[in-house]
Amino acid sequence: MKVLVIGGAGYIGSHVVKELMKGGHSVTVFDNLSSGLRQNLFAENGFIHGDILIKDQLDKAFSLGFDAFIHLAAFKAAGESMVEPEKYSVNNINGTINILNSAVEHGCKKMVFSSSAATFGIPEYLPIDEKHPTKPINYYGFTKLKIEEFMAWYDQLRGLKFAALRYFNAAGYDPEGVITGLEQNPANLLPVIMEVACGMRAKLKIFGDDYDTRDGTCVRDYIHVTDLATAHVKALEYIDRENKSLTVNLGTGKGITVKEMLDAARRITGREITAEYTGRRAGDPAELTAKSDLAREKLGWVPEYSDADTLLRTTWLAYQKNRR
């Protein structure tokens, strides 16, 4: 297929592009490089420097004639979304509406959306399956849920077939070491641990050690970015094959605690990695894990790289390459 990857120069987007190429698909990246990096682009692909807030630029892109597109251009910092909701409204909501309108106007009606398990909110049971109530507790999660609702209406009214992929924590780097562009201003656990290991930060703050978990720290379901990228490709191929829309969760269903991740990082990097325990953050559940049986059934998707050691080893390699 000829695929337009919107946000394809970003952390997740670049890994999706690599897996699309491996699957024999023709790829063009559309990105404004606000958080994406030129070093994440592949010479074999087309690149359009464009912004989803400028519909004319999207129209020009879609006029090139694509079979499908993948949307990875939403802002994703949950904390920031609670402080700057306007920013998330404009980019995530307005930007997505521009994308949907341009796509259907140019006859591109197969779409994969990188959604989020933030659509669920506080878990009522674990692991979270697709039937779990959707009650987001941050504005970021709200925007992702609204985008899913827009896609469902465009399916009904315009025949747009979509896959919405919900997941918690993307982590790790390309196991082959080809993609090494680091996220800018990271807030997630693994890159913060790596920044401490590299001397870019003084210490890691661990928010809470008194949760009802096996070691008192939060449990999170981490998914390796290559496993995530593979799921995007499989979802696209499912839509092409079945001509049906799909919403699935992605995860291991197990989860790793903050302390387990820190201990593994100290072992793999050989660095001390100074850590400080502090109070809980508001809205942080003790445990978040996703059930991905439906993804296994519909897409034949099984995570291969999402164990703690592989997550950390591939991330450490990327940081070492950049520090050199």
Side-chain angles (χ1 to χ4, degrees):
M1 281 184 281
K2 188 178 178 183
V3 185
L4 182 68
V5 182
I6 302 171
Y11 166 59
I12 296 173
S14 57
H15 287 82
V16 170
V17 168
K18 185 170 183 282
E19 293 305 306
L20 283 167
M21 291 165 61
K22 191 184 292 185
H25 300 286
S26 172
V27 181
T28 297
V29 170
F30 182 98
D31 202 301
N32 68 1
L33 300 178
S34 61
S35 59
L37 302 171
R38 286 193 180 274
Q39 76 179 93
N40 285 342
L41 299 171
F42 293 86
E44 304 95 306
N45 300 322
F47 172 62
I48 299 168
H49 189 278
D51 196 306
I52 63 173
L53 299 182
I54 303 173
K55 188 170 180 294
D56 285 349
Q57 294 180 355
L58 285 164
D59 286 335
K60 286 179 183 177
F62 278 107
S63 71
L64 298 175
F66 292 95
D67 302 307
F69 68 99
I70 298 179
H71 177 14
L72 301 119
F75 291 150
K76 62 174 187 174
E80 181 187 55
S81 75
M82 298 296 281
V83 181
E84 299 184 59
E86 300 84 359
K87 175 180 176 179
Y88 281 69
S89 295
V90 171
N91 186 80
N92 293 11
I93 301 295
N94 296 4
T96 297
I97 290 171
N98 284 342
I99 292 170
L100 295 176
N101 288 343
S102 288
V104 298
E105 284 167 19
H106 292 88
C108 187
K109 296 187 177 182
K110 296 169 187 172
M111 168 187 186
V112 175
F113 175 53
S114 206
S115 190
S116 171
T119 54
F120 293 117
I122 301 294
E124 296 182 8
Y125 56 84
L126 290 168
I128 293 174
D129 59 20
E130 289 79 7
K131 295 177 182 178
H132 189 284
T134 48
K135 300 175 184 176
I137 59 168
N138 55 62
Y139 195 68
Y140 158 70
F142 170 81
T143 64
K144 290 276 187 163
L145 183 59
K146 287 298 145 187
I147 290 168
E148 291 186 9
E149 292 174 5
F150 290 141
M151 292 189 302
W153 276 107
Y154 273 65
D155 182 351
Q156 181 180 329
L157 302 174
R158 290 290 180 263
L160 174 76
K161 298 305 173 188
F162 68 88
L165 307 181
R166 294 170 170 170
Y167 54 93
F168 286 113
N169 297 278
Y173 273 83
D174 173 25
E176 296 174 353
V178 175
I179 302 170
T180 58
L182 301 182
E183 285 189 272
Q184 300 178 55
N185 304 312
N188 296 332
L189 178 64
L190 260 72
V192 171
I193 287 176
M194 292 299 135
E195 288 191 353
V196 178
C198 290
M200 299 162 67
R201 292 185 191 229
K203 60 188 174 184
L204 167 71
K205 284 189 176 181
I206 298 176
F207 299 100
D209 61 351
D210 57 351
Y211 286 96
D212 185 18
T213 60
R214 52 187 173 266
D215 62 21
T217 62
C218 288
V219 176
R220 294 292 180 265
D221 197 336
Y222 294 91
I223 176 170
H224 193 282
V225 67
T226 296
D227 288 331
L228 189 56
T230 302
H232 281 72
V233 177
K234 286 181 177 290
L236 191 62
E237 292 170 346
Y238 172 88
I239 295 168
D240 187 52
R241 183 176 66 249
E242 303 291 339
N243 196 36
K244 293 178 182 177
S245 293
L246 178 74
T247 299
V248 294
N249 294 348
L250 302 174
T252 64
K254 298 174 183 176
I256 304 167
T257 72
V258 176
K259 189 175 184 301
E260 286 167 349
M261 197 67 86
L262 175 60
D263 289 344
R266 286 169 169 161
R267 173 170 48 80
I268 286 167
T269 64
R271 304 291 173 88
E272 182 181 345
I273 310 180
T274 303
E276 173 187 80
Y277 288 92
T278 184
R280 296 185 184 189
R281 284 184 303 195
D284 263 356
E287 183 173 347
L288 289 172
T289 51
K291 189 175 185 180
S292 56
D293 292 16
L294 190 61
R296 181 180 283 103
E297 175 193 337
K298 297 291 186 182
L299 307 180
W301 178 82
V302 179
E304 295 182 44
Y305 302 103
S306 296
D307 59 284
D309 278 22
T310 304
L311 289 165
L312 286 158
R313 179 177 49 77
T314 56
T315 307
W316 182 232
L317 178 63
Y319 272 81
Q320 284 180 305
K321 282 189 175 182
N322 276 273
R323 294 297 285 175
R324 282 200 295 269

